[in-house]
Amino acid sequence: MKKLSTAVLLLGAILVAAQESEEKGKQIEDIIIVGNRNVKRTKLETPVPVDVINIDKIQRSAPQMTAQDLLNYVIPSFNAVRQSASDGTEHIDPVTLRGMGPDQVLVLLNGKRRHTTSLVNYQNTVGNGSVGTDLSTIPVIAIDRIEVLRDGAAAQYGSDAIAGVINIILKKNAGASASLTYGLSGRNDGDTYQAGVNYGTSLGKKDGYINLSLQLSHRGKTTRTQNHDLDIFGDNFAYEFAGDAEAVKAARATDDAEIEKRGLTRDDFNFQIGDAQIRQGQLFFNSEYPFNDHFKLYSFGGFSIKEGEGFGFRRLPSEKSNVVSSIYPNGFQAVLGSQVYDVSYAVGAKYNVNDWLFDLSNTFGSNTFNYNVNNTNNASLGAKSPTRFYAGAHSFLQNTINLDVSKNINRFNIAFGGEFRFEQYQIKAGDEASYTQYDINGNVATEGSTVLGAGGSQSFIGFSPNNALKKDRHSTAVYADVSYDLDKKLNIDAAARFENYSDFGNTLNGKLAVRYEFVKNYAVRAAVGTGFRAPSLQQQYFNNSYADISTSGSKIVTKGIFSNDSEAAKILGFDKLKQETSVNASAGFTLKPLNNLTITIDGYWIKVKDRVVITSNITDKRLDQFKVESGRFFANAIDTETKGVDVVVSYDWILGNGKLNLNLAGNYTETKITDFHFPENLGTPQDQFFGPDQINIIETLSPKTKASLGLNYGIGKFSFLVRNTYFGKVIRDGYPFGDVQEFSPKVVTDISVGYDITKSINFTVGANNIFDVFPDRQIYKNSYYGVFKYAPVQMGTLGNYFFGRLNFNF
């Protein structure tokens, strides 16, 4: 390994003396359309920072296979980490920008608002309490480029754009391309298969086109734990929590005797902890048909189906109230299966008359998440319990109508328009046995009934008719943008947006951005604006019961998440959710000291008031009537302040017969909670309302510092990639059962070598994380008795991963 490390570092040093051509390696392109409605600018001419990532070029040589994974290694202010044993969250990766929440990043597809998922993250992972957009539903084979606006843009695009905007542009080129990829981790698990094909052809006589993409992919599960300390038949959960070492020792001796008696080993009781298995199929299209020089129709969209298998928390044979011994004499670990259906469709018309451009469109999107729980039981049914349950579903629907009007008048670009959006959120109940507790006669248990054990499907309790609901809302907005360009020396953008929501009222936001080139190729830029984020329907109405570790840490109990309009929320005095409001400011420099060297440096400050989060577990006697140990609620509980800086350097030059592109990008972000908002009559200590673990998720669970150095070298038929990604220090708070742990910085190295077999066929082999770097091991108190050896922070827990890819272009 040491020799391999030296060889890779030597290769990197050699590549620093070479240059990559734009066609083979350049990662950040110039032409941009997001951030303002003037389409004639490049990334160095915008008053706010915009990265344009050529996904088609990067994906040829990069080990990553999804849009979020590719962005994670190219844009340091972007973060996406796979979660483990976290219910639905391990099936849809939460993504963040500039240290903000997943719901504070707006995603566009071809410039039109993309719908979010129906999933609420509530498993104390990054983005806890938020609802994001699943970038993996869009096949990589269909994407031409991704534009990332790293600045608040709610005054231009509406809700969710507090941290920035990600605009995904679909391919529209003619011709055909295909890609086949196979990969495997260094531990012979996590096998990946991906096959994609893209075909485009002209449509009509005047620049019309239709482009189709089909992609099929598979990602195998991984296992990253080995435990030999777990209490199986004894009582050392409680003893360990109480610090009674002798009692723990005695309980383990009892366990070992029982294990030997059954002819088993401790390995038979290991947890499955790692990446979930994911299978996915996607079909997308992008089209435009011009009737004449003035009028054209366009349409785009697609369908994605994702099936996942993740693992819940293990139930041990000692948990008599949760395990039916006649079915699972050695306990069980439930498998949470998901079926996620994602549909989107946009249709629009553009009309150009006297240089006035009118764009009328309707964009529809929906996301449905179905839960199936296998290898589990409803303990209250005893031996009659099924082992497979349909646990219900949730879905989200969004339909947006836009009218956009724009015109260039001398040095001015004027744009204005309106938007009407309808949203609907629904929770559907599962099988009765997935949520019901029965008495010993098989009837629904009532107060005072004799029961055999806990009700519902263990590990993931199904949604009941009491959880089921269908809620909707609508919003109406008008906006205006004006930009002024003076010979590329002075750029001024101003924007304002008024929006009315049926569920919380009005909001008015504005933004001003300026760029000034004081010397040729040297410019300063700055922006200031206000923003907002409407609380999602999911945050307002999501509710369920779930299994978790008790307050004492000694057993698994039922806890609840209550909707904001529930009786429980009213009893405890929670206010109705309202919008988050923000103030964004940024300032920076753009420099081009050499023809092939560009540098951008941008600092930013984001203040968010009334941020919507999910509380800690609140224990209150008034919640006893709801048959839960504790409850969690969505609330406008905190104010936050985020400060940071982005640096991007790109340099191209020629060495010998080859060309090299160097991309250096870095980000530093720090978020602090500046105030708390408690219900006046709650009477709950802060540790229960918003405890240290929740503060940790906001402030220190993501790396404050992240940087990437990519070297792409092309010579003849060969291309080489060496990329080092630095993930900064992370702090994880194990409250209420563990301690505070600091995870040291890590560097992950990606390499690949590509060869053009013919002009149309390229073969690439390489690796992600070639040196098998992992986050620091968790301290024992935070690892649940040694089960969770690694926390999925920084780069995740896959380890090294090797791949081969065939690319075809016709």
Side-chain angles (χ1 to χ4, degrees):
M1 181 61 72
K2 187 174 181 180
K3 291 182 179 180
L4 181 59
S5 174
T6 303
V8 172
L9 292 175
L10 180 60
L11 177 60
I14 294 172
L15 294 182
V16 170
Q19 178 180 8
E20 162 65 11
S21 67
E22 290 186 54
E23 288 75 16
K24 285 193 176 181
K26 192 169 183 180
Q27 295 185 346
I28 300 181
E29 300 295 307
D30 286 333
I31 299 173
I32 62 100
I33 65 172
V34 75
N36 60 74
R37 289 175 171 84
N38 187 340
V39 299
K40 297 182 178 181
R41 294 179 181 166
T42 70
K43 63 184 177 67
L44 291 182
E45 296 171 359
T46 59
V48 292
V50 180
D51 293 326
V52 183
I53 312 301
N54 190 313
I55 292 295
D56 186 44
K57 294 176 184 176
I58 294 176
Q59 206 267 339
R60 286 173 64 90
S61 58
Q64 293 75 31
M65 292 172 39
T66 64
Q68 69 266 22
D69 289 339
L70 287 165
L71 292 178
N72 197 35
Y73 282 85
V74 175
I75 300 179
S77 59
F78 180 97
N79 273 289
V81 182
R82 295 178 190 173
Q83 302 300 316
S84 180
S86 54
D87 289 349
T89 306
E90 65 179 324
H91 301 253
I92 298 177
D93 300 335
V95 303
T96 64
L97 189 66
R98 285 187 162 178
M100 307 297 287
D103 53 5
Q104 293 166 326
V105 181
L106 175 63
V107 177
L108 309 176
L109 185 63
N110 282 357
K112 305 298 181 182
R113 176 179 284 265
R114 178 81 174 165
H115 61 282
T116 67
T117 73
S118 57
L119 175 71
V120 178
N121 300 307
Y122 64 87
Q123 290 288 319
N124 289 343
T125 60
V126 172
N128 196 41
S130 67
V131 179
T133 302
D134 187 3
L135 299 183
S136 71
T137 58
I138 304 170
V140 170
I141 194 74
I143 301 174
D144 177 58
R145 67 185 188 274
I146 298 180
E147 304 166 346
V148 181
L149 168 63
R150 294 180 276 114
D151 196 68
Q156 296 153 294
Y157 298 102
S159 180
D160 306 348
I162 288 178
V165 179
I166 297 174
N167 185 25
I168 300 174
I169 307 297
L170 299 177
K171 291 179 181 178
K172 60 181 181 181
N173 57 289
S177 62
S179 178
L180 295 172
T181 302
Y182 172 75
L184 187 69
S185 82
R187 288 160 181 77
N188 294 319
D189 60 5
D191 54 315
T192 55
Y193 309 85
Q194 188 178 81
V197 60
N198 174 267
Y199 175 74
T201 187
S202 59
L203 193 64
K205 298 180 180 180
K206 294 181 179 290
D207 301 322
Y209 61 86
I210 182 168
N211 189 280
L212 304 172
S213 300
L214 172 66
Q215 184 170 289
L216 304 174
S217 57
H218 163 90
R219 186 188 81 194
K221 72 171 185 177
T222 64
T223 300
R224 295 293 178 267
T225 186
Q226 210 171 20
N227 174 67
H228 294 281
D229 295 325
L230 187 65
D231 167 44
I232 299 171
F233 301 102
D235 300 307
N236 73 302
F237 279 164
Y239 298 148
E240 188 98 39
F241 190 80
D244 190 339
E246 289 301 318
V248 170
K249 186 177 180 180
R252 287 177 182 164
T254 302
D255 287 350
D256 290 336
E258 181 64 27
I259 291 170
E260 185 179 0
K261 179 180 176 182
R262 297 190 183 191
L264 304 170
T265 69
R266 280 194 172 270
D267 287 335
D268 294 311
F269 299 91
N270 276 340
F271 274 70
Q272 291 280 347
I273 302 295
D275 295 341
Q277 176 181 281
I278 301 291
R279 296 189 182 96
Q280 195 163 13
Q282 300 153 304
L283 178 64
F284 264 64
F285 74 98
N286 187 26
S287 64
E288 186 172 278
Y289 183 79
F291 286 89
N292 51 50
D293 292 337
H294 301 285
F295 182 69
K296 62 180 68 174
L297 293 178
Y298 63 88
S299 184
F300 59 87
F303 173 76
S304 168
I305 179 170
K306 180 190 294 187
E307 294 184 345
E309 285 189 2
F311 291 91
F313 221 72
R314 206 182 203 289
R315 299 300 191 265
L316 299 168
S318 56
E319 299 176 47
K320 301 302 182 182
S321 64
N322 298 324
V323 177
V324 179
S325 298
S326 60
I327 302 177
Y328 298 109
N330 298 324
F332 61 87
Q333 186 171 11
V335 176
L336 180 62
S338 66
Q339 288 182 320
V340 186
Y341 299 96
D342 197 278
V343 181
S344 62
Y345 180 77
V347 61
K350 294 180 180 178
Y351 183 66
N352 191 328
V353 56
N354 297 326
D355 293 326
W356 283 96
L357 177 62
F358 297 84
D359 184 348
L360 177 64
S361 65
N362 186 89
T363 306
F364 170 85
S366 71
N367 179 272
T368 301
F369 197 121
N370 295 284
Y371 293 89
N372 296 281
V373 194
N374 306 321
N375 195 46
T376 185
N377 61 225
N378 181 326
S380 68
L381 283 173
K384 297 179 181 179
S385 172
T387 59
R388 300 173 62 91
F389 301 82
Y390 169 65
H394 43 66
S395 62
F396 177 71
L397 177 152
Q398 177 180 282
N399 193 80
T400 306
I401 300 173
N402 284 100
L403 174 62
D404 302 307
V405 183
S406 62
K407 181 179 176 64
N408 277 301
I409 304 175
N410 296 323
R411 295 187 174 95
F412 288 91
N413 186 82
I414 300 171
F416 58 90
E419 177 178 288
F420 176 82
R421 186 164 70 254
F422 173 81
E423 296 175 337
Q424 185 180 86
Y425 176 61
Q426 187 172 6
I427 297 177
K428 300 177 182 179
D431 298 335
E432 182 184 273
S434 73
Y435 57 80
T436 300
Q437 184 177 43
Y438 299 92
D439 63 21
I440 58 173
N441 297 315
N443 301 315
V444 176
T446 58
E447 191 71 29
S449 298
T450 302
V451 296
L452 295 174
S457 47
Q458 284 296 303
S459 181
F460 188 91
I461 300 173
F463 294 106
S464 73
N466 292 331
N467 301 128
L469 51 80
K470 181 186 286 188
K471 299 287 185 178
D472 59 60
R473 71 174 176 198
H474 62 269
S475 65
T476 305
V478 293
Y479 77 88
D481 286 359
V482 178
S483 64
Y484 173 77
D485 292 344
L486 178 60
D487 298 328
K488 298 186 178 180
K489 296 289 185 182
L490 176 66
N491 313 116
I492 302 175
D493 290 351
R497 186 182 184 95
F498 172 83
E499 196 146 357
N500 174 269
Y501 278 77
S502 60
D503 53 353
F504 74 83
N506 303 329
T507 178
L508 176 64
N509 294 278
K511 181 177 180 179
L512 177 66
V514 179
R515 173 189 175 273
Y516 177 64
E517 188 176 74
F518 55 91
V519 177
K520 185 178 181 180
N521 294 328
Y522 293 81
V524 294
R525 59 188 181 187
V528 62
T530 61
F532 77 102
R533 191 190 71 81
S536 67
L537 290 176
Q538 294 92 315
Q539 289 174 321
Q540 294 183 66
Y541 298 111
F542 178 76
N543 68 107
N544 80 333
S545 298
Y546 66 99
D548 198 5
I549 304 171
S550 66
T551 303
S552 66
S554 61
K555 58 182 179 179
I556 303 295
V557 298
T558 299
K559 300 180 180 180
I561 295 177
F562 296 91
S563 64
N564 188 250
D565 66 344
S566 66
E567 187 64 27
K570 294 175 183 176
I571 290 173
L572 297 187
F574 279 89
D575 294 329
K576 181 181 178 182
L577 287 182
K578 58 185 177 182
Q579 63 170 323
E580 301 174 355
T581 58
S582 67
V583 178
N584 292 60
S586 64
F589 303 89
T590 65
L591 304 88
K592 193 175 182 181
L594 302 173
N595 286 337
N596 295 325
L597 174 63
T598 61
I599 303 170
T600 64
I601 304 171
D602 294 279
Y604 53 90
W605 174 81
I606 308 170
K607 179 74 173 179
V608 182
K609 184 175 176 57
D610 298 322
R611 189 162 166 174
V612 179
V613 294
I614 190 170
T615 69
S616 298
N617 290 295
I618 296 173
T619 55
D620 190 297
K621 290 183 178 181
R622 290 173 289 179
L623 296 178
D624 291 348
Q625 60 184 294
F626 302 103
K627 298 181 180 179
V628 294
E629 185 197 61
S630 60
R632 305 180 76 182
F633 302 82
F634 289 92
N636 296 96
I638 60 174
D639 299 340
T640 62
E641 182 180 68
T642 299
K643 300 175 183 178
V645 62
D646 288 317
V647 178
V648 179
V649 180
S650 181
Y651 188 35
D652 299 295
W653 75 93
I654 295 175
L655 177 69
N657 295 322
K659 296 182 179 181
L660 175 83
N661 169 253
L662 178 150
N663 274 283
L664 172 65
N667 168 263
Y668 176 81
T669 294
E670 183 177 33
T671 296
K672 292 291 185 183
I673 297 174
T674 58
D675 200 6
F676 295 90
H677 308 294
F678 294 82
E680 292 183 3
N681 299 321
L682 184 57
T684 296
Q686 181 177 315
D687 284 358
Q688 285 192 27
F689 180 73
F690 203 72
D693 54 333
Q694 302 303 313
I695 295 173
N696 167 233
I697 291 171
I698 297 291
E699 294 188 342
T700 56
L701 191 56
S702 295
K704 291 184 179 180
T705 305
K706 188 177 171 188
S708 175
L709 174 61
L711 303 168
N712 294 267
Y713 182 64
I715 181 169
K717 294 184 177 182
F718 286 93
S719 60
F720 303 89
L721 164 70
V722 176
R723 181 174 59 204
N724 288 293
T725 304
Y726 172 88
F727 296 87
K729 178 181 72 175
V730 169
I731 297 174
R732 187 169 185 269
D733 195 327
Y735 179 88
F737 310 116
D739 289 337
V740 176
Q741 180 182 0
E742 181 177 300
F743 294 81
S744 60
K746 302 292 180 180
V747 176
V748 171
T749 302
D750 294 351
I751 64 170
S752 72
V753 179
Y755 178 72
D756 294 333
I757 300 173
T758 69
K759 289 184 178 180
S760 301
I761 303 174
N762 170 270
F763 178 62
T764 299
V765 294
N768 166 236
N769 195 359
I770 183 70
F771 301 126
D772 202 31
V773 176
F774 274 76
D776 295 343
R777 289 194 179 191
Q778 292 206 98
I779 58 176
Y780 187 75
K781 286 186 177 181
N782 287 356
S783 67
Y784 194 72
Y785 311 104
V787 172
F788 292 88
K789 184 164 58 175
Y790 299 104
V793 296
Q794 295 161 312
M795 77 296 296
T797 61
L798 178 64
N800 51 14
Y801 164 83
F802 304 90
F803 79 101
R805 179 177 295 129
L806 275 171
N807 298 295
F808 304 87
N809 287 284
F810 305 101

